[in-house]
């Protein structure tokens, strides 16, 4: 798999404040930049002190740093194939005093190549597209984050192998890939919980947060949706704003 660096030529880096200033994140000024999806995934992970959590495709560490602020005492590992982004993730871990180990590795190579014991939880925001013909070619700085060279199945295989029996997998993805996610994760996981994420209350969901439990057998649960914006002119709904500021979580 070829590596497309997310860091633009010239290496311009900016520092952003997340979770109401509790997290400092250094990331590229251009190209792929962490945003709402990372914040929602971190809010939905539900990690508890003493647990071990792995993130597939951690980028600059936006999810991991927000998880660390939300759940002190959690041991985290990030896997990232882009050396430049992995280096940024390590910088961010040091900047935030986070207990996070960042490994350079390719999700397509499989979890077992890392030589790690299975984790309690695995999280990911996989690339949203795996068919180059499905959209215009993304800008070079976003190619690696948007296009899954080996398909969504490579990501779900990694996540399923990354957790112990009874371990939890949490993913945020496009709402129109929900059926694919359930089918792929359903190979060895179940007890699904799904939370739709709507841009507005009167518009279809654009994202879904999905939790699966390895070897779980419980019926699927469809949770109340999160609505991001209202029509009153405010930037976010009160619920979404509380999540973005770290004042509320998105439990399953």
């Amino acid at each position: 798999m070829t590596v497309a660096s997310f860091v633009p030529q010239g290496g311009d880096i900016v520092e952003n404040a997340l979770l109401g200033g509790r997290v400092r994140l250094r990331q590229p000024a251009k190209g792929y930049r962490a945003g709402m999806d990372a914040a929602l995934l971190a809010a939905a992970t539900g990690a508890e002190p003493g647990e071990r959590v792995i993130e597939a495709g951690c980028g600059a560490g936006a999810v991991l740093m927000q998880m660390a602020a939300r759940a002190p005492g959690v041991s985290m590992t990030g896997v990232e194939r882009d050396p430049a982004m992995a280096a940024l993730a390590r910088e961010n871990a040091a900047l935030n005093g986070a207990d996070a180990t960042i490994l350079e590795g390719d999700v397509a190579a499989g979890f077992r190549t890392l030589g790690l014991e299975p984790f309690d939880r695995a999280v990911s925001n996989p690339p949203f597209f795996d068919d180059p013909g499905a959209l215009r070619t993304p800008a070079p700085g976003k190619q690696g984050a948007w296009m899954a060279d080996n398909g969504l199945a490579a990501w779900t295989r990694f996540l399923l192998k990354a957790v112990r029996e009874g371990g939890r997998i949490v993913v945020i993805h496009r709402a129109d890939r929900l059926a694919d996610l359930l089918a792929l994760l359903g190979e060895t996981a179940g007890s699904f919980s799904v939370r739709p994420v709507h841009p507005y209350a009167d518009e279809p969901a654009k994202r879904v947060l999905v939790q699966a439990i390895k070897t779980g057998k419980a019926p699927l649960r469809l949770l109340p949706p999160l609505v991001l914006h209202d029509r009153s002119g405010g930037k976010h709904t009160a619920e979404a704003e509380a999540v973005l500021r770290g004042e509320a979580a998105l439990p399953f």
Side-chain angles (χ1 to χ4, degrees):
M1 183 185 290
T2 57
V3 174
S5 176
F6 301 167
V7 179
Q9 289 185 348
D12 293 334
I13 302 297
V14 297
E15 183 175 308
N16 302 114
L18 308 178
L19 292 187
R22 292 162 57 195
V23 170
R24 297 165 61 188
L25 185 77
R26 302 188 74 234
Q27 60 181 337
K30 298 180 180 179
Y32 177 77
R33 292 167 54 80
M36 179 75 72
D37 292 342
L40 299 183
L41 181 58
T45 299
E48 299 179 358
E51 289 190 328
R52 297 170 58 247
V53 182
I54 186 169
E55 182 186 5
C58 68
V63 175
L64 294 176
M65 297 308 105
Q66 292 178 84
M67 283 173 49
R70 286 178 171 276
V74 172
S75 175
M76 299 176 297
T77 297
V79 179
E80 174 54 48
R81 72 175 185 173
D82 183 333
M85 292 300 278
L88 267 180
R90 294 187 190 102
E91 289 183 28
N92 284 321
L95 189 65
N96 290 279
D99 180 8
T101 299
I102 310 301
L103 304 176
E104 291 181 24
D106 196 331
V107 167
F111 174 74
R112 290 174 177 167
T113 62
L114 300 177
L116 302 174
E117 292 295 319
F119 288 72
D120 300 299
R121 297 174 191 257
V123 304
S124 187
N125 178 11
F128 283 164
F129 300 93
D130 49 21
D131 177 5
L135 77 168
R136 292 183 304 171
T137 301
K142 297 183 179 181
Q143 180 81 29
W146 282 24
M147 194 67 65
D149 296 349
N150 292 80
L152 183 58
W155 291 76
T156 56
R157 281 195 300 269
F158 182 96
L159 296 169
L160 289 168
K161 294 293 185 182
V163 293
R164 58 173 174 78
E165 288 195 11
R168 297 171 185 265
I169 296 166
V170 181
V171 175
I172 188 167
H173 212 283
R174 290 163 38 202
D176 62 356
R177 297 300 302 273
L178 177 58
D180 296 324
L181 271 174
L182 297 180
L184 291 167
L185 290 172
E187 292 179 5
T188 57
S191 301
F192 291 105
S193 296
V194 178
R195 188 182 301 278
V197 180
H198 297 252
Y200 293 92
D202 57 355
E203 292 186 3
K206 292 291 184 67
R207 299 283 187 270
V208 285
L209 284 157
V210 177
Q211 177 182 265
I213 299 177
K214 190 167 182 176
T215 67
K217 303 296 183 183
L220 182 147
R221 300 165 63 238
L222 185 61
L223 303 177
L226 173 67
V227 178
L228 298 178
H229 310 285
D230 59 32
R231 302 289 186 184
S232 65
K235 187 174 181 181
H236 299 109
T237 62
E239 182 182 10
E241 185 66 25
V243 171
L244 294 175
R245 294 186 65 81
E247 298 164 357
L250 294 169
F252 287 101

